[in-house]
Amino acid sequence: MNYKAPRGTVDVLPTESGKWLKLERILRTIADNYNVKEMRTPIFEHTELFNRAVGDTTDVVTKEMYSFNDKKGRSITLRPEGTAGIARAYVENKMYAWPEKLTKVYYMGPMFRYERPQSGRQRQFHQFGVEMLGVESPYVDVECMLMALTVVKALDIKDVTLHINSLGDDASREAYRTALKDHFRPHLHELCEDCNDRFEKNPLRILDCKVDHEHPSMASAPKTIDYLSEGAKAHFDKVCQLLDELDVDYVIDTNLVRGLDYYSHTVFELISDDPKLGAGSTVGGGGRYNGLVEEVGGPATPGVGFAFGMERLMLAMDDDMTDDAGIDAYIMPLGDEAKDYAMQLITVLRAHGFCCDMDFVGRGLKGQFKSSDRFHAQYALIIGEDEVKNEIVQVRDNETKEQEAVKVEELITYLDHKMGV
């Protein structure tokens, strides 16, 4: 039988992993600059967590989750997104009692959704996400947006526009929910079955419908921003003011609602027209979710966050943005005795922090030089019978092509000096 990777999954080969490492390093560096600490949660959670937190009327919960019963009959789900798990861990570990009021964390890792695979979107995909919990402030909303914008700038993603909107507080959402139902009620017989199901449970989800998105009633639907309470409007106005003062370009997009039930107040997306992604592509997004922690059993705790699909970021990155800087040295033994000696030498070099490899095949010099070039080795260390006998190594600078004999006991000092260590 010829085994293949399951549909919607991708093997990251050694020729491609350098680009992943580069992306991960950039994201971690940005997180450090914003004093955001890493948090790691399980890849699977109890299914009830996502039903409760994400919303049982969302496409994620109703159509896309990988759920199964474990050996004791408990329903388990591979995580489809990262925020719910962070909220659960925040409550379970009583992080709300920590001395610092604002907790800023990030996560990075695989997520799972059963949907049609396409470029930059797989069934097993990877997300980089940030959550800021504990403080309800427009300043924290803007902090989140600035960090997301820093990511796209660091990756040199072209033609990115920040789209923002407000879903308001509970009072705003209730008023908007009523207005939506009044608007869509006369059109229900023209809308799909999913829209009819959502009408009573969560009419906001109708706006996310992929089947009826071109129906005239969608374009004429009420806008959330027209139903904001006084407090919600003040919050959103302050967000806009701060962005203006920071000279951040943005668009108020009244059609932006995001796809998960836990959002409230500010929501945002980064839309790119970079030709690598296609016009109007969403690179990442997020928003505020003030009721989520309480929904999963914790105290009332405001929160705001965002996430990027890392595969989408990879598509937008330049192909030469890799971490493949080459190795320090490639050891080239000629003969069995030299190979034994090379094993001892490479162990010492690695212990001193050098990145190095050696020939394990037993080829001639020509074949070994080809490997040295493929690994982008800075130096080739050649060892033959005479070198073993005289305890020396022929060190060849692969850039200048200069070569000289170096005593083994002086090799570490020699390489340190040459490499400016």
Side-chain angles (χ1 to χ4, degrees):
M1 180 176 179
N2 294 322
Y3 292 102
K4 293 185 177 181
R7 186 166 187 257
T9 64
V10 175
D11 298 312
V12 178
L13 304 180
T15 53
E16 302 158 349
S17 59
K19 194 171 180 180
W20 277 93
L21 291 171
K22 181 70 172 181
L23 174 59
E24 291 167 6
R25 180 166 288 121
I26 290 170
L27 295 173
R28 292 182 191 280
T29 298
I30 292 170
D32 285 345
N33 290 344
Y34 278 79
N35 193 30
V36 179
K37 306 302 182 184
E38 186 177 12
M39 189 166 174
R40 303 185 185 189
T41 60
I43 288 179
F44 58 86
E45 300 270 3
H46 293 290
T47 302
E48 298 93 324
L49 173 67
F50 300 112
N51 290 342
R52 189 77 181 248
V54 177
D56 57 11
T57 62
T58 62
D59 282 351
V60 171
V61 169
T62 59
K63 300 177 181 179
E64 298 173 0
M65 294 204 311
Y66 278 93
S67 300
F68 57 93
N69 289 335
D70 67 10
K71 292 184 178 181
K72 290 192 174 181
R74 294 166 295 203
S75 184
I76 298 294
T77 294
L78 300 178
R79 61 186 184 189
E81 57 91 54
T83 304
I86 295 290
R88 190 268 313 150
Y90 182 86
V91 174
E92 184 174 346
N93 294 282
K94 296 182 173 58
M95 295 170 66
Y96 49 80
W98 288 7
E100 195 63 40
K101 187 71 173 175
L102 180 62
T103 300
K104 301 195 293 185
V105 300
Y106 76 90
Y107 58 86
M108 190 186 303
M111 309 288 164
F112 305 85
R113 293 187 190 179
Y114 188 86
E115 54 184 341
R116 184 173 65 85
Q118 53 187 293
S119 178
R121 182 174 296 171
Q122 302 294 331
R123 289 175 175 173
Q124 176 179 312
F125 61 101
H126 298 77
Q127 275 190 346
F128 168 76
V130 171
E131 314 295 349
M132 301 185 181
L133 298 138
V135 175
E136 182 176 4
S137 166
Y139 290 89
V140 183
D141 295 17
V142 173
E143 168 90 339
C144 242
M145 294 181 202
L146 292 175
M147 186 172 177
L149 287 166
T150 301
V151 170
V152 297
K153 184 177 180 180
L155 299 177
D156 197 27
I157 300 176
K158 309 294 185 185
D159 303 319
V160 175
T161 306
L162 173 65
H163 288 235
I164 66 173
N165 192 21
S166 176
L167 303 181
D169 51 19
D170 289 344
S172 309
R173 289 166 68 89
E174 189 56 39
Y176 183 58
R177 175 189 173 95
T178 300
L180 273 183
K181 293 183 73 173
D182 290 343
H183 172 77
F184 282 118
R185 188 174 286 109
H187 304 285
L188 282 178
H189 66 285
E190 302 167 355
L191 301 178
C192 71
E193 183 179 347
D194 282 346
C195 286
N196 277 265
D197 288 342
R198 292 163 174 166
F199 180 78
E200 290 296 340
K201 295 179 181 178
N202 191 347
L204 192 66
R205 293 277 67 77
I206 296 177
L207 299 173
D208 275 339
C209 182
K210 298 178 177 65
V211 176
D212 296 320
H213 66 280
E214 293 185 357
H215 190 280
S217 63
M218 297 293 184
S220 59
K223 308 301 183 185
T224 60
I225 205 164
D226 295 328
Y227 293 86
L228 298 181
S229 66
E230 185 176 338
K233 186 177 185 305
H235 184 105
F236 188 60
D237 286 346
K238 185 63 176 181
V239 168
C240 294
Q241 176 196 328
L242 292 170
L243 292 173
D244 289 336
E245 291 174 352
L246 292 165
D247 292 325
V248 175
D249 293 329
Y250 63 91
V251 173
I252 296 178
D253 183 350
T254 55
N255 293 318
L256 178 59
V257 295
R258 300 292 293 163
L260 307 178
D261 280 0
Y262 50 61
Y263 284 114
S264 61
H265 283 290
T266 312
V267 289
F268 65 92
E269 286 186 352
L270 298 170
I271 310 293
S272 173
D273 288 326
D274 191 320
K276 293 181 182 178
L277 297 172
S281 293
T282 300
V283 182
R288 182 161 283 284
Y289 46 85
N290 287 348
L292 178 59
V293 172
E294 192 173 7
E295 187 70 27
V296 299
T301 304
V304 61
F306 67 85
F308 286 99
M310 294 176 68
E311 282 81 359
R312 302 288 291 166
L313 296 179
M314 292 282 289
L315 283 176
M317 287 173 64
D318 290 335
D319 290 336
D320 60 355
M321 287 188 71
T322 71
D323 226 24
D324 188 11
I327 63 176
D328 296 326
Y330 188 74
I331 303 176
M332 301 164 55
L334 302 172
D336 291 340
E337 188 177 4
K339 190 178 292 185
D340 292 345
Y341 196 74
M343 282 297 294
Q344 298 178 41
L345 183 60
I346 198 171
T347 302
V348 172
L349 287 170
R350 286 170 175 164
H352 282 80
F354 291 97
C355 174
C356 46
D357 208 337
M358 64 173 278
D359 178 70
F360 292 94
V361 183
R363 295 167 299 171
L365 272 179
K366 185 177 180 180
Q368 294 192 50
F369 271 123
K370 287 182 178 178
S371 289
S372 181
D373 290 341
R374 278 193 290 268
F375 289 129
H376 305 292
Q378 189 170 350
Y379 294 95
L381 308 184
I382 306 166
I383 304 172
E385 291 183 6
D386 289 342
E387 282 74 27
V388 174
K389 180 179 179 180
N390 296 309
E391 296 186 349
I392 60 173
V393 177
Q394 299 293 337
V395 180
R396 182 178 188 268
D397 187 319
N398 284 335
E399 183 178 353
T400 65
K401 311 304 181 186
E402 295 178 353
Q403 181 173 313
E404 61 181 304
V406 178
K407 292 181 180 179
V408 169
E409 66 267 22
E410 298 174 358
L411 181 61
I412 301 298
T413 303
Y414 176 87
L415 291 175
D416 279 343
H417 174 73
K418 282 286 187 179
M419 299 174 72
V421 176

